Amino acid sequence: MDKKGQMKIQQMAFVLVAMMVFFAMVALVYFSIRMSGLESSAVSLEEEKAKELVKKISSSAEFAFGVTDCPNCIDLDKVLILSERKSYEGFWQLDYLEVERIYPYGEGICDRTNYPDCKSIKIIDSENYGSAVSAFVSLCRWESSKDGYFKCEVGRIIASGEGLRNE
Amino acid sequence: MNKKGQEEMVGFVMIVIIVAVVFLILLGIFLRQEPSASEADSVEVTQFLESIMGYTSSCAVSYEPAYSSVGELIEECYRGKKCVGGEDSCEVLEQTVRDILGSGWEIGEEFYYKGYEFKIVGSEETILEISNGNCENEFIGSEYLIPGDFVSSLKLCL
């Protein structure tokens, strides 16, 4: 009877240990999946934050289009002049800052000879810069044809550097 | 001995049932909490929609050069207006949006995004619907409200 009792206790102990191991494994699988999900959502949050920061740069006085109430608009005429002024290079603590026209399609780096029929304006262009972040914006400018009017196109602002992380 | 064997079996079955129930509860919690990629909201898509709405189209309804933006053109299309040049505002709207979508995203089987679905909906009807590529799987997307009770939405399919 004593031996049988010991056997019973042993059986119960084995079952308990097996159950503990099983629950531990389930918990491990569950938390590993949850952690990987958290990691990817943290990365996407970081990316989205960077995009918002790029957008913030575009709403600064040096870029903003003040003719209409348009928080998403960049004054492309201002940007062209800004790209010619080297004194702004350290202003935003960025290694790279570019405004690119997406639609309508253009080719080449913009300067006074080919503007506005060009693709991009580089404001800051260091040789070594990290991964860049971009945000879609409206590129507005004065169009002199047909008596003149303000024309907005689709583009993006691309930036990289410390300024994006320190904001 | 027979009775004892039965007791052991009942005990074993109970343990199996408890483990199965706990496993099902954990699985349920996991499936409920994991956000679906198909519901992912994208800041990038919102910014893109906002930029599209600001684009100056080639359609002026009253006089040239008072060209309407895409956001304004949606209302012109809804009201069935024509451009000064005689073109239908809805046709200009569709062509403009189609061209911008084509330039803004690389779509195709060889690219990251396999397809897209763009929609502009008014209070009662769908004003514009454009789709391209394969949109059967997960997607990222966003909606953008346009003054005049219109909603534009874009889904980029992975």
Side-chain angles (χ1 to χ4, degrees):
Chain A
M1 187 63 192
D2 192 33
K3 231 181 182 181
K4 269 193 177 175
Q6 275 184 341
M7 275 287 281
K8 284 263 171 194
I9 290 165
Q10 227 174 19
Q11 267 183 346
M12 205 172 81
F14 275 127
V15 169
L16 282 173
V17 167
M19 275 179 74
M20 288 294 286
V21 169
F22 175 78
F23 283 127
M25 279 173 70
V26 169
L28 264 175
V29 169
Y30 173 75
F31 283 115
S32 66
I33 293 167
R34 290 288 297 161
M35 288 301 278
S36 68
L38 276 176
E39 210 171 291
S40 64
S41 59
V43 169
S44 65
L45 272 175
E46 274 293 313
E47 278 173 12
E48 297 204 339
K49 189 182 158 197
K51 283 184 191 302
E52 293 290 357
L53 289 174
V54 172
K55 205 70 186 294
K56 203 173 158 188
I57 293 170
S58 71
S59 61
S60 64
E62 287 79 7
F63 286 86
F65 181 68
V67 178
T68 56
D69 182 26
C70 176
N72 191 43
C73 298
I74 279 182
D75 191 327
L76 206 60
D77 298 330
K78 265 196 220 175
V79 175
L80 181 73
I81 295 163
L82 199 68
S83 68
E84 294 167 351
R85 296 193 178 178
K86 298 293 165 200
S87 56
Y88 272 93
E89 287 207 341
F91 189 70
W92 292 282
Q93 289 180 293
L94 294 172
D95 301 323
Y96 190 81
L97 187 58
E98 181 188 352
V99 173
E100 185 188 76
R101 187 164 73 156
I102 292 172
Y103 183 80
Y105 183 74
E107 271 186 353
I109 305 289
C110 298
D111 55 36
R112 291 202 184 213
T113 56
N114 62 2
Y115 181 81
D117 303 316
C118 49
K119 188 178 172 68
S120 64
I121 301 175
K122 285 185 181 175
I123 302 134
I124 302 167
D125 189 11
S126 305
E127 278 187 9
N128 298 315
Y129 61 88
S131 59
V133 183
S134 70
F136 286 102
V137 284
S138 291
L139 308 177
C140 300
R141 62 181 170 82
W142 176 253
E143 172 64 51
S144 52
S145 65
K146 296 193 177 173
D147 297 334
Y149 64 99
F150 286 103
K151 184 177 172 65
C152 292
E153 296 164 337
V154 179
R156 75 170 108 214
I157 181 163
I158 305 158
S160 170
E162 275 297 306
L164 286 180
R165 290 181 282 273
N166 293 339
E167 285 278 337
Chain B
M1 187 66 193
N2 193 27
K3 222 178 182 183
K4 273 194 179 172
Q6 276 180 343
E7 274 175 16
E8 296 260 330
M9 270 179 70
V10 169
F12 181 70
V13 168
M14 274 182 73
I15 287 167
V16 169
I17 288 169
I18 289 166
V19 167
V21 167
V22 169
F23 184 73
L24 278 174
I25 289 169
L26 280 175
L27 198 72
I29 292 168
F30 168 70
L31 288 176
R32 220 179 258 187
Q33 286 184 351
E34 191 68 24
S36 166
S38 63
E39 290 171 11
D41 202 26
S42 166
V43 170
E44 194 173 22
V45 177
T46 310
Q47 289 172 348
F48 182 72
L49 288 172
E50 204 177 347
S51 305
I52 289 185
M53 296 309 142
Y55 180 79
T56 309
S57 72
S58 58
C59 175
V61 174
S62 48
Y63 66 93
E64 283 185 342
Y67 296 107
S68 304
S69 67
V70 168
E72 292 163 346
L73 203 58
I74 291 166
E75 189 147 7
E76 316 288 14
C77 168
Y78 181 69
R79 296 187 193 287
K81 290 192 177 174
K82 286 202 176 289
C83 310
V84 171
E87 309 99 319
D88 181 36
S89 56
C90 293
E91 279 176 22
V92 177
L93 174 68
E94 183 176 347
Q95 195 53 52
T96 307
V97 172
R98 203 179 276 278
D99 290 346
I100 297 172
L101 284 166
S103 300
W105 306 97
E106 287 182 319
I107 302 290
E109 283 304 316
E110 68 274 31
F111 297 114
Y112 184 68
Y113 296 116
K114 312 293 178 218
Y116 66 76
E117 281 178 14
F118 178 84
K119 210 184 255 188
I120 298 170
V121 184
S123 51
E124 290 154 17
E125 58 184 300
T126 301
I127 293 161
L128 180 64
E129 205 168 356
I130 302 170
S131 60
N132 184 17
N134 178 17
C135 246
E136 287 166 0
N137 299 319
E138 293 175 338
F139 62 83
I140 59 158
S142 188
E143 285 187 344
Y144 183 74
L145 295 173
I146 307 156
D149 212 11
F150 302 105
V151 179
S152 64
S153 63
L154 177 64
K155 287 178 188 173
L156 293 169
C157 308
L158 306 170

